Amino acid sequence: MSILNNSVSFDTLPEAVQTILEQVQELNQKIDNLPLPAQELDENRFVGIDEIRQTVFPQWKKQTIYNKSSLGELPHSRIGSR
C-alpha cells in the first residue's frame, strides 16, 4: 500500500499498522505453502557435525560442538566411529 511508502503520521498510524499486519499474514501463508526440501522430510536421519554447523550453530567452531557434546550440553548419539 502507498501508506508505507510515505512517512507515517499519528493520523495514518492505524492504517499503516493494518497494512503491515496484512502483509505479514500474506507472507506467513506463502511460507506455510512452501514445499519442504526432501532432506528435511526425514526426521529420523542422522546428521554430521558439518551439517550441524551449517544449519544450527554456524557461529560455533567444530571443537566447540565436540566439547559441548562431550560435556553433555548437546544431545547426541554415536554410531560406530561417527
Side-chain angles (χ1 to χ4, degrees):
M1 298 247 163
S2 62
I3 190 72
L4 296 180
N5 295 335
N6 302 325
S7 61
V8 178
S9 68
F10 183 77
D11 294 332
T12 60
L13 187 59
E15 184 181 344
V17 170
Q18 183 62 35
T19 301
I20 291 170
L21 290 174
E22 289 170 359
Q23 290 177 353
V24 167
Q25 185 177 12
E26 181 181 329
L27 288 172
N28 280 333
Q29 289 173 349
K30 287 180 180 181
I31 290 170
D32 289 341
N33 291 330
L34 287 175
L36 289 176
Q39 66 181 18
E40 291 184 10
L41 294 177
D42 185 7
E43 296 177 3
N44 296 321
R45 72 182 180 89
F46 294 98
V47 295
I49 193 165
D50 291 324
E51 187 174 353
I52 292 170
R53 282 191 65 226
Q54 290 174 359
T55 57
V56 183
F57 303 112
Q59 70 278 13
W60 289 1
K61 296 181 180 178
K62 272 187 178 181
Q63 193 58 47
T64 303
I65 295 174
Y66 284 127
N67 290 342
K68 290 188 177 289
S69 295
S70 67
L71 293 173
E73 295 177 14
L74 286 178
H76 65 283
S77 295
R78 189 172 190 167
I79 307 293
S81 64
R82 305 188 123 216

